């Protein structure tokens, strides 16, 4: 396949895909792939703490503090 023939699309969730796209990407054993990855307990604890701070209710103060201190380091595709 030529690089110019590759089409990249982004979805927030599987519910945004039409049935044909879902079938040929996520549901087809020929094209869907799983990759085992592992993290240490410490890494998992740090990730859970970060998600809780960024997504949790009652965390607005911590979230604002984090964004003021480190928000400029985040690469976001908006």
């Amino acid at each position: 396949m030529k690089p110019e023939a590759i089409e990249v699309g982004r979805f927030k969730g599987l519910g945004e895909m039409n049935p044909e796209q879902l079938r040929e990407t996520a549901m087809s054993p020929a094209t869907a792939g799983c990759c085992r990855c592992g993290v240490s307990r410490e890494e998992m604890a740090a990730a859970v703490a970060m998600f809780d701070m960024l997504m949790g209710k009652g965390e607005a103060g911590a979230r604002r503090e984090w964004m003021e201190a480190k928000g400029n380091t985040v690469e976001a595709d908006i």
Side-chain angles (χ1 to χ4, degrees):
M1 179 179 286
K2 295 180 182 180
E4 58 271 6
I6 297 173
E7 184 178 321
V8 178
R10 294 180 60 160
F11 299 94
K12 289 189 271 181
L14 296 177
E16 294 183 353
M17 300 175 86
N18 64 44
E20 295 79 27
Q21 289 172 311
L22 186 59
R23 190 176 304 111
E24 71 183 42
T25 56
M27 304 304 287
S28 171
T31 57
C34 293
C35 179
R36 181 178 285 255
C37 61
V39 295
S40 69
R41 289 184 187 274
E42 294 80 20
E43 290 169 322
M44 182 59 77
V48 168
M50 178 64 73
F51 270 95
D52 285 346
M53 186 268 299
L54 291 174
M55 306 294 286
K57 290 186 178 186
E59 294 291 333
R63 200 167 21 254
R64 180 184 177 117
E65 184 179 316
W66 182 87
M67 290 186 340
E68 288 175 348
K70 300 182 181 181
N72 63 325
T73 64
V74 175
E75 292 184 35
D77 183 10
I78 299 174

